[in-house]
Amino acid sequence: MKNVKEIFATRNRKMNVAHSARAHQQGQHGNTQSGTFYQCPMKCEGEKKYKEPGVCPVCNMHLAPVETIN
C-alpha cells in the first residue's frame, strides 16, 4: 500500500506534466523576463531561487515568481 507522501508525489507529477503541456501549447513556456526568479512557495530549499519556472525538486509544487530588488 502506498503511503500518503507517495500518493501526493504521483498526483503532483501528473498535474505538473499536464500544466507544462498546456503552457507549451499556449506559448508561455520559457518566456521569462530578465530579473524574474522563481522559488518554492513552501521554502523546501530555503531561499534557493531558479532562473526559470518549473517544479520544486523536493515537494513537486510549481515554483512561484518572486520579486527581486534592483
Side-chain angles (χ1 to χ4, degrees):
M1 180 175 205
K2 290 184 176 182
N3 67 30
V4 173
K5 189 174 183 179
E6 290 173 341
I7 293 169
F8 280 104
T10 301
R11 180 188 63 103
N12 286 341
R13 277 193 294 276
K14 289 178 182 177
M15 290 173 50
N16 291 336
V17 168
H19 173 75
S20 295
R22 250 190 331 272
H24 182 72
Q25 288 173 347
Q26 295 172 354
Q28 297 171 355
H29 191 70
N31 293 337
T32 61
Q33 299 174 358
S34 63
T36 301
F37 289 91
Y38 301 85
Q39 72 183 138
C40 177
M42 298 299 291
K43 308 277 188 190
C44 293
E45 298 182 292
E47 293 296 320
K48 184 173 181 179
K49 293 179 178 70
Y50 297 88
K51 291 183 180 181
E52 297 181 359
V55 295
C56 174
V58 177
C59 69
N60 291 317
M61 287 187 69
H62 290 284
L63 300 175
V66 292
E67 293 183 23
T68 57
I69 300 172
N70 293 331

